[in-house]
Amino acid sequence: MGRLVGLSLLGIALGLLGERLLALRNRLKASTEIESVDLPNCYLIKGIETGAEDIDILPNGLAFFSVGLKCPGLHSFAPDKPGGILMMDLNDENPRALELRISRGFNLASFNPHGISTFIDSDDTVYLFVVNHPEFKNTVEIFKFQEEDNSLLHLKTIKHELLPSVNDVIAVGPAHFYATNDHYFSDPFLKYLETYLNLHWTNVVYYSPNEVKVVAEGFDSANGINISPDKKYIYVADILAHEIHVLEKHPNMNLTQVKVLKLDTLVDNLSIDPSSGDILVGCHPNGQKLFIYDPNNPPSSQVLRIQNILSEKPAVTIVYANNGSVLQGSSVASVYDKKLLIGTLYHRALYCEL
């Protein structure tokens, strides 16, 4: 009798494990293959060989790139090389990516940048917020951009118990931001277990020097975050749920959900087209290929444009798609004056003239 009960429990456990594995494959879109959607007048950006996970462009056309991200379980073409911040002036006839010098005292050897965001203060000071994973920990670094010598002055390192697994930030003040946590836990094993069990425990946090609080929760894996041009709404990408959440921002900085846009791809970083207010999304059509890297069958890339997201039927179009032969693992797309930049988790970056 005891053996029968044991075998029954083992069977139930194996069944549950199998069901979770199948569900994870579905969340990763593990069987998806795509057809290419090419753009003319594109070239790979020289000097970006190990990914440009996030890109943010100032209104004057200066673009910042977060390069060299390394995460446990994620492929890297240069695992021992620290990350950095690059800049490109999109007003130049032949723009080049140049690495920005960072002020003394900042630990460059462990710099591992992830999501980034800029904020321009009333006195025209430009602040750059950078999610950093030194030794796979979690901080948000605040820099002042010094255009006269193309450098970053490090101002502050932010750590907080409500920021255990930061992915992306959107700055809303000189020391104020919303941040996404893509996991509830910081421990690598617990992160994996959380993803496997599909717990939906991830969240969005508001940070200011006077207050830190969770303002939205219940996401599968909260990822990219941005703000509408009128500053009334926050957009959040839930990568494993294939959704973009629209949340209304209140005077007390709390958020309430307005709508959810369901898509058929893994949505990563979100950028805003300043000329139209459209949302550009860096996407992963097949997430399994990101984590099980095969150079003969590399991860594909996809960029979506979302128009009128607040309407009943937003228009979703594919701007760019590639099977990995040119660009592997697209994570972000940003546009300025008919110039499109596409970054990746750990591969190259693409510049296109639209």
PDB file of all heavy atoms in Angstrom, residues 233-260:
ATOM      1  N   TYR A 233       0.815  58.442 -18.654  1.00  0.00           N
ATOM      2  CA  TYR A 233       0.738  56.984 -18.612  1.00  0.00           C
ATOM      3  C   TYR A 233       2.134  56.367 -18.577  1.00  0.00           C
ATOM      4  O   TYR A 233       3.082  56.896 -19.165  1.00  0.00           O
ATOM      5  CB  TYR A 233      -0.018  56.447 -19.832  1.00  0.00           C
ATOM      6  CG  TYR A 233      -1.433  56.967 -19.940  1.00  0.00           C
ATOM      7  CD1 TYR A 233      -1.733  58.061 -20.752  1.00  0.00           C
ATOM      8  CD2 TYR A 233      -2.463  56.389 -19.205  1.00  0.00           C
ATOM      9  CE1 TYR A 233      -3.018  58.558 -20.846  1.00  0.00           C
ATOM     10  CE2 TYR A 233      -3.764  56.877 -19.291  1.00  0.00           C
ATOM     11  CZ  TYR A 233      -4.034  57.957 -20.109  1.00  0.00           C
ATOM     12  OH  TYR A 233      -5.317  58.449 -20.185  1.00  0.00           O
ATOM     13  N   ILE A 234       2.218  55.246 -17.875  1.00  0.00           N
ATOM     14  CA  ILE A 234       3.429  54.435 -17.854  1.00  0.00           C
ATOM     15  C   ILE A 234       3.142  53.151 -18.636  1.00  0.00           C
ATOM     16  O   ILE A 234       2.094  52.521 -18.461  1.00  0.00           O
ATOM     17  CB  ILE A 234       3.839  54.093 -16.404  1.00  0.00           C
ATOM     18  CG1 ILE A 234       4.208  55.369 -15.639  1.00  0.00           C
ATOM     19  CG2 ILE A 234       5.008  53.108 -16.398  1.00  0.00           C
ATOM     20  CD1 ILE A 234       5.457  56.066 -16.097  1.00  0.00           C
ATOM     21  N   TYR A 235       4.065  52.796 -19.500  1.00  0.00           N
ATOM     22  CA  TYR A 235       3.950  51.563 -20.283  1.00  0.00           C
ATOM     23  C   TYR A 235       4.928  50.530 -19.719  1.00  0.00           C
ATOM     24  O   TYR A 235       6.101  50.841 -19.498  1.00  0.00           O
ATOM     25  CB  TYR A 235       4.290  51.813 -21.747  1.00  0.00           C
ATOM     26  CG  TYR A 235       3.502  52.913 -22.422  1.00  0.00           C
ATOM     27  CD1 TYR A 235       4.146  53.858 -23.225  1.00  0.00           C
ATOM     28  CD2 TYR A 235       2.122  53.017 -22.274  1.00  0.00           C
ATOM     29  CE1 TYR A 235       3.439  54.866 -23.863  1.00  0.00           C
ATOM     30  CE2 TYR A 235       1.397  54.024 -22.901  1.00  0.00           C
ATOM     31  CZ  TYR A 235       2.069  54.946 -23.695  1.00  0.00           C
ATOM     32  OH  TYR A 235       1.369  55.949 -24.321  1.00  0.00           O
ATOM     33  N   VAL A 236       4.449  49.304 -19.525  1.00  0.00           N
ATOM     34  CA  VAL A 236       5.286  48.232 -18.978  1.00  0.00           C
ATOM     35  C   VAL A 236       5.168  47.002 -19.867  1.00  0.00           C
ATOM     36  O   VAL A 236       4.054  46.546 -20.163  1.00  0.00           O
ATOM     37  CB  VAL A 236       4.870  47.866 -17.532  1.00  0.00           C
ATOM     38  CG1 VAL A 236       5.719  46.705 -17.011  1.00  0.00           C
ATOM     39  CG2 VAL A 236       5.012  49.075 -16.615  1.00  0.00           C
ATOM     40  N   ALA A 237       6.311  46.464 -20.270  1.00  0.00           N
ATOM     41  CA  ALA A 237       6.342  45.226 -21.045  1.00  0.00           C
ATOM     42  C   ALA A 237       6.449  44.040 -20.096  1.00  0.00           C
ATOM     43  O   ALA A 237       7.345  43.998 -19.244  1.00  0.00           O
ATOM     44  CB  ALA A 237       7.525  45.239 -22.007  1.00  0.00           C
ATOM     45  N   ASP A 238       5.546  43.095 -20.233  1.00  0.00           N
ATOM     46  CA  ASP A 238       5.618  41.828 -19.498  1.00  0.00           C
ATOM     47  C   ASP A 238       6.099  40.783 -20.493  1.00  0.00           C
ATOM     48  O   ASP A 238       5.321  40.260 -21.298  1.00  0.00           O
ATOM     49  CB  ASP A 238       4.250  41.464 -18.924  1.00  0.00           C
ATOM     50  CG  ASP A 238       4.317  40.300 -17.948  1.00  0.00           C
ATOM     51  OD1 ASP A 238       5.290  39.525 -18.012  1.00  0.00           O
ATOM     52  OD2 ASP A 238       3.392  40.142 -17.124  1.00  0.00           O
ATOM     53  N   ILE A 239       7.387  40.476 -20.453  1.00  0.00           N
ATOM     54  CA  ILE A 239       8.032  39.751 -21.539  1.00  0.00           C
ATOM     55  C   ILE A 239       7.498  38.330 -21.713  1.00  0.00           C
ATOM     56  O   ILE A 239       7.233  37.893 -22.836  1.00  0.00           O
ATOM     57  CB  ILE A 239       9.566  39.764 -21.360  1.00  0.00           C
ATOM     58  CG1 ILE A 239      10.278  39.149 -22.574  1.00  0.00           C
ATOM     59  CG2 ILE A 239       9.997  39.117 -20.052  1.00  0.00           C
ATOM     60  CD1 ILE A 239      11.776  39.387 -22.584  1.00  0.00           C
ATOM     61  N   LEU A 240       7.330  37.589 -20.627  1.00  0.00           N
ATOM     62  CA  LEU A 240       6.905  36.193 -20.750  1.00  0.00           C
ATOM     63  C   LEU A 240       5.393  36.042 -20.895  1.00  0.00           C
ATOM     64  O   LEU A 240       4.910  34.981 -21.281  1.00  0.00           O
ATOM     65  CB  LEU A 240       7.404  35.381 -19.549  1.00  0.00           C
ATOM     66  CG  LEU A 240       8.915  35.165 -19.489  1.00  0.00           C
ATOM     67  CD1 LEU A 240       9.302  34.395 -18.234  1.00  0.00           C
ATOM     68  CD2 LEU A 240       9.411  34.419 -20.729  1.00  0.00           C
ATOM     69  N   ALA A 241       4.644  37.096 -20.597  1.00  0.00           N
ATOM     70  CA  ALA A 241       3.194  37.073 -20.824  1.00  0.00           C
ATOM     71  C   ALA A 241       2.836  37.642 -22.190  1.00  0.00           C
ATOM     72  O   ALA A 241       1.657  37.615 -22.575  1.00  0.00           O
ATOM     73  CB  ALA A 241       2.470  37.853 -19.733  1.00  0.00           C
ATOM     74  N   HIS A 242       3.827  38.179 -22.917  1.00  0.00           N
ATOM     75  CA  HIS A 242       3.632  38.745 -24.256  1.00  0.00           C
ATOM     76  C   HIS A 242       2.635  39.907 -24.229  1.00  0.00           C
ATOM     77  O   HIS A 242       1.765  40.007 -25.094  1.00  0.00           O
ATOM     78  CB  HIS A 242       3.165  37.657 -25.249  1.00  0.00           C
ATOM     79  CG  HIS A 242       3.760  36.309 -24.995  1.00  0.00           C
ATOM     80  ND1 HIS A 242       3.012  35.160 -24.939  1.00  0.00           N
ATOM     81  CD2 HIS A 242       5.036  35.943 -24.761  1.00  0.00           C
ATOM     82  CE1 HIS A 242       3.793  34.129 -24.690  1.00  0.00           C
ATOM     83  NE2 HIS A 242       5.042  34.580 -24.572  1.00  0.00           N
ATOM     84  N   GLU A 243       2.795  40.789 -23.235  1.00  0.00           N
ATOM     85  CA  GLU A 243       1.830  41.867 -23.028  1.00  0.00           C
ATOM     86  C   GLU A 243       2.531  43.207 -22.807  1.00  0.00           C
ATOM     87  O   GLU A 243       3.658  43.260 -22.293  1.00  0.00           O
ATOM     88  CB  GLU A 243       0.971  41.581 -21.789  1.00  0.00           C
ATOM     89  CG  GLU A 243       0.117  40.329 -21.889  1.00  0.00           C
ATOM     90  CD  GLU A 243      -0.546  39.983 -20.572  1.00  0.00           C
ATOM     91  OE1 GLU A 243      -0.120  40.511 -19.517  1.00  0.00           O
ATOM     92  OE2 GLU A 243      -1.479  39.165 -20.576  1.00  0.00           O
ATOM     93  N   ILE A 244       1.811  44.270 -23.177  1.00  0.00           N
ATOM     94  CA  ILE A 244       2.192  45.615 -22.778  1.00  0.00           C
ATOM     95  C   ILE A 244       1.055  46.186 -21.937  1.00  0.00           C
ATOM     96  O   ILE A 244      -0.092  46.218 -22.376  1.00  0.00           O
ATOM     97  CB  ILE A 244       2.476  46.517 -23.989  1.00  0.00           C
ATOM     98  CG1 ILE A 244       3.688  45.994 -24.762  1.00  0.00           C
ATOM     99  CG2 ILE A 244       2.717  47.959 -23.540  1.00  0.00           C
ATOM    100  CD1 ILE A 244       3.992  46.771 -26.020  1.00  0.00           C
ATOM    101  N   HIS A 245       1.393  46.613 -20.730  1.00  0.00           N
ATOM    102  CA  HIS A 245       0.407  47.166 -19.808  1.00  0.00           C
ATOM    103  C   HIS A 245       0.453  48.684 -19.869  1.00  0.00           C
ATOM    104  O   HIS A 245       1.535  49.284 -19.861  1.00  0.00           O
ATOM    105  CB  HIS A 245       0.683  46.706 -18.378  1.00  0.00           C
ATOM    106  CG  HIS A 245       0.486  45.240 -18.160  1.00  0.00           C
ATOM    107  ND1 HIS A 245      -0.490  44.732 -17.323  1.00  0.00           N
ATOM    108  CD2 HIS A 245       1.132  44.163 -18.686  1.00  0.00           C
ATOM    109  CE1 HIS A 245      -0.434  43.412 -17.337  1.00  0.00           C
ATOM    110  NE2 HIS A 245       0.544  43.042 -18.151  1.00  0.00           N
ATOM    111  N   VAL A 246      -0.711  49.295 -19.923  1.00  0.00           N
ATOM    112  CA  VAL A 246      -0.839  50.751 -19.873  1.00  0.00           C
ATOM    113  C   VAL A 246      -1.373  51.105 -18.494  1.00  0.00           C
ATOM    114  O   VAL A 246      -2.447  50.646 -18.088  1.00  0.00           O
ATOM    115  CB  VAL A 246      -1.785  51.279 -20.963  1.00  0.00           C
ATOM    116  CG1 VAL A 246      -1.897  52.802 -20.876  1.00  0.00           C
ATOM    117  CG2 VAL A 246      -1.298  50.856 -22.346  1.00  0.00           C
ATOM    118  N   LEU A 247      -0.614  51.931 -17.754  1.00  0.00           N
ATOM    119  CA  LEU A 247      -0.978  52.295 -16.389  1.00  0.00           C
ATOM    120  C   LEU A 247      -1.057  53.816 -16.260  1.00  0.00           C
ATOM    121  O   LEU A 247      -0.179  54.532 -16.741  1.00  0.00           O
ATOM    122  CB  LEU A 247       0.064  51.754 -15.406  1.00  0.00           C
ATOM    123  CG  LEU A 247       0.292  50.234 -15.499  1.00  0.00           C
ATOM    124  CD1 LEU A 247       1.761  49.922 -15.523  1.00  0.00           C
ATOM    125  CD2 LEU A 247      -0.371  49.508 -14.354  1.00  0.00           C
ATOM    126  N   GLU A 248      -2.110  54.286 -15.633  1.00  0.00           N
ATOM    127  CA  GLU A 248      -2.259  55.724 -15.425  1.00  0.00           C
ATOM    128  C   GLU A 248      -1.425  56.168 -14.235  1.00  0.00           C
ATOM    129  O   GLU A 248      -1.426  55.530 -13.178  1.00  0.00           O
ATOM    130  CB  GLU A 248      -3.728  56.077 -15.181  1.00  0.00           C
ATOM    131  CG  GLU A 248      -3.968  57.574 -15.079  1.00  0.00           C
ATOM    132  CD  GLU A 248      -5.434  57.924 -14.906  1.00  0.00           C
ATOM    133  OE1 GLU A 248      -6.268  56.984 -14.855  1.00  0.00           O
ATOM    134  OE2 GLU A 248      -5.751  59.133 -14.829  1.00  0.00           O
ATOM    135  N   LYS A 249      -0.693  57.263 -14.407  1.00  0.00           N
ATOM    136  CA  LYS A 249       0.151  57.806 -13.342  1.00  0.00           C
ATOM    137  C   LYS A 249      -0.612  58.890 -12.582  1.00  0.00           C
ATOM    138  O   LYS A 249      -1.147  59.808 -13.195  1.00  0.00           O
ATOM    139  CB  LYS A 249       1.435  58.386 -13.938  1.00  0.00           C
ATOM    140  CG  LYS A 249       2.414  58.950 -12.899  1.00  0.00           C
ATOM    141  CD  LYS A 249       3.756  59.263 -13.522  1.00  0.00           C
ATOM    142  CE  LYS A 249       3.704  60.489 -14.406  1.00  0.00           C
ATOM    143  NZ  LYS A 249       3.563  61.746 -13.623  1.00  0.00           N
ATOM    144  N   HIS A 250      -0.641  58.774 -11.268  1.00  0.00           N
ATOM    145  CA  HIS A 250      -1.375  59.716 -10.425  1.00  0.00           C
ATOM    146  C   HIS A 250      -0.429  60.713  -9.753  1.00  0.00           C
ATOM    147  O   HIS A 250       0.785  60.485  -9.709  1.00  0.00           O
ATOM    148  CB  HIS A 250      -2.183  58.941  -9.381  1.00  0.00           C
ATOM    149  CG  HIS A 250      -3.183  58.009  -9.983  1.00  0.00           C
ATOM    150  ND1 HIS A 250      -4.350  58.444 -10.579  1.00  0.00           N
ATOM    151  CD2 HIS A 250      -3.170  56.654 -10.127  1.00  0.00           C
ATOM    152  CE1 HIS A 250      -5.020  57.411 -11.044  1.00  0.00           C
ATOM    153  NE2 HIS A 250      -4.329  56.307 -10.789  1.00  0.00           N
ATOM    154  N   PRO A 251      -0.960  61.819  -9.223  1.00  0.00           N
ATOM    155  CA  PRO A 251      -0.097  62.828  -8.579  1.00  0.00           C
ATOM    156  C   PRO A 251       0.773  62.265  -7.453  1.00  0.00           C
ATOM    157  O   PRO A 251       1.875  62.763  -7.214  1.00  0.00           O
ATOM    158  CB  PRO A 251      -1.096  63.861  -8.056  1.00  0.00           C
ATOM    159  CG  PRO A 251      -2.257  63.758  -8.997  1.00  0.00           C
ATOM    160  CD  PRO A 251      -2.356  62.300  -9.337  1.00  0.00           C
ATOM    161  N   ASN A 252       0.290  61.231  -6.754  1.00  0.00           N
ATOM    162  CA  ASN A 252       1.088  60.621  -5.689  1.00  0.00           C
ATOM    163  C   ASN A 252       2.043  59.560  -6.223  1.00  0.00           C
ATOM    164  O   ASN A 252       2.655  58.812  -5.449  1.00  0.00           O
ATOM    165  CB  ASN A 252       0.189  60.026  -4.605  1.00  0.00           C
ATOM    166  CG  ASN A 252      -0.698  58.900  -5.129  1.00  0.00           C
ATOM    167  OD1 ASN A 252      -0.653  58.533  -6.305  1.00  0.00           O
ATOM    168  ND2 ASN A 252      -1.527  58.355  -4.250  1.00  0.00           N
ATOM    169  N   MET A 253       2.143  59.456  -7.554  1.00  0.00           N
ATOM    170  CA  MET A 253       3.032  58.547  -8.292  1.00  0.00           C
ATOM    171  C   MET A 253       2.559  57.091  -8.285  1.00  0.00           C
ATOM    172  O   MET A 253       3.240  56.220  -8.810  1.00  0.00           O
ATOM    173  CB  MET A 253       4.478  58.634  -7.788  1.00  0.00           C
ATOM    174  CG  MET A 253       5.038  60.056  -7.732  1.00  0.00           C
ATOM    175  SD  MET A 253       4.799  61.005  -9.269  1.00  0.00           S
ATOM    176  CE  MET A 253       6.071  60.322 -10.306  1.00  0.00           C
ATOM    177  N   ASN A 254       1.398  56.823  -7.674  1.00  0.00           N
ATOM    178  CA  ASN A 254       0.820  55.492  -7.791  1.00  0.00           C
ATOM    179  C   ASN A 254       0.352  55.256  -9.220  1.00  0.00           C
ATOM    180  O   ASN A 254       0.122  56.195  -9.987  1.00  0.00           O
ATOM    181  CB  ASN A 254      -0.359  55.327  -6.828  1.00  0.00           C
ATOM    182  CG  ASN A 254       0.092  55.204  -5.386  1.00  0.00           C
ATOM    183  OD1 ASN A 254       1.255  54.898  -5.119  1.00  0.00           O
ATOM    184  ND2 ASN A 254      -0.823  55.447  -4.458  1.00  0.00           N
ATOM    185  N   LEU A 255       0.166  53.993  -9.567  1.00  0.00           N
ATOM    186  CA  LEU A 255      -0.266  53.609 -10.904  1.00  0.00           C
ATOM    187  C   LEU A 255      -1.513  52.751 -10.821  1.00  0.00           C
ATOM    188  O   LEU A 255      -1.646  51.916  -9.918  1.00  0.00           O
ATOM    189  CB  LEU A 255       0.838  52.809 -11.622  1.00  0.00           C
ATOM    190  CG  LEU A 255       2.216  53.467 -11.770  1.00  0.00           C
ATOM    191  CD1 LEU A 255       3.197  52.486 -12.411  1.00  0.00           C
ATOM    192  CD2 LEU A 255       2.127  54.737 -12.595  1.00  0.00           C
ATOM    193  N   THR A 256      -2.428  52.947 -11.769  1.00  0.00           N
ATOM    194  CA  THR A 256      -3.583  52.059 -11.902  1.00  0.00           C
ATOM    195  C   THR A 256      -3.672  51.588 -13.351  1.00  0.00           C
ATOM    196  O   THR A 256      -3.442  52.367 -14.281  1.00  0.00           O
ATOM    197  CB  THR A 256      -4.897  52.759 -11.520  1.00  0.00           C
ATOM    198  OG1 THR A 256      -5.042  53.953 -12.289  1.00  0.00           O
ATOM    199  CG2 THR A 256      -4.910  53.107 -10.049  1.00  0.00           C
ATOM    200  N   GLN A 257      -4.011  50.331 -13.507  1.00  0.00           N
ATOM    201  CA  GLN A 257      -4.033  49.756 -14.854  1.00  0.00           C
ATOM    202  C   GLN A 257      -5.216  50.272 -15.664  1.00  0.00           C
ATOM    203  O   GLN A 257      -6.342  50.322 -15.177  1.00  0.00           O
ATOM    204  CB  GLN A 257      -4.075  48.233 -14.777  1.00  0.00           C
ATOM    205  CG  GLN A 257      -3.989  47.564 -16.148  1.00  0.00           C
ATOM    206  CD  GLN A 257      -3.561  46.120 -16.047  1.00  0.00           C
ATOM    207  OE1 GLN A 257      -2.421  45.805 -15.790  1.00  0.00           O
ATOM    208  NE2 GLN A 257      -4.516  45.221 -16.231  1.00  0.00           N
ATOM    209  N   VAL A 258      -4.917  50.636 -16.915  1.00  0.00           N
ATOM    210  CA  VAL A 258      -5.936  51.118 -17.842  1.00  0.00           C
ATOM    211  C   VAL A 258      -6.298  50.030 -18.843  1.00  0.00           C
ATOM    212  O   VAL A 258      -7.477  49.785 -19.115  1.00  0.00           O
ATOM    213  CB  VAL A 258      -5.445  52.377 -18.582  1.00  0.00           C
ATOM    214  CG1 VAL A 258      -6.441  52.817 -19.645  1.00  0.00           C
ATOM    215  CG2 VAL A 258      -5.171  53.497 -17.601  1.00  0.00           C
ATOM    216  N   LYS A 259      -5.300  49.364 -19.392  1.00  0.00           N
ATOM    217  CA  LYS A 259      -5.557  48.306 -20.374  1.00  0.00           C
ATOM    218  C   LYS A 259      -4.315  47.442 -20.534  1.00  0.00           C
ATOM    219  O   LYS A 259      -3.218  47.805 -20.084  1.00  0.00           O
ATOM    220  CB  LYS A 259      -5.957  48.901 -21.723  1.00  0.00           C
ATOM    221  CG  LYS A 259      -4.848  49.661 -22.441  1.00  0.00           C
ATOM    222  CD  LYS A 259      -5.298  50.167 -23.809  1.00  0.00           C
ATOM    223  CE  LYS A 259      -5.674  49.030 -24.744  1.00  0.00           C
ATOM    224  NZ  LYS A 259      -6.016  49.508 -26.090  1.00  0.00           N
ATOM    225  N   VAL A 260      -4.504  46.310 -21.193  1.00  0.00           N
ATOM    226  CA  VAL A 260      -3.409  45.388 -21.511  1.00  0.00           C
ATOM    227  C   VAL A 260      -3.501  45.046 -22.993  1.00  0.00           C
ATOM    228  O   VAL A 260      -4.563  44.655 -23.480  1.00  0.00           O
ATOM    229  CB  VAL A 260      -3.492  44.091 -20.675  1.00  0.00           C
ATOM    230  CG1 VAL A 260      -2.366  43.137 -21.058  1.00  0.00           C
ATOM    231  CG2 VAL A 260      -3.436  44.404 -19.191  1.00  0.00           C
TER     232      VAL A 260
END
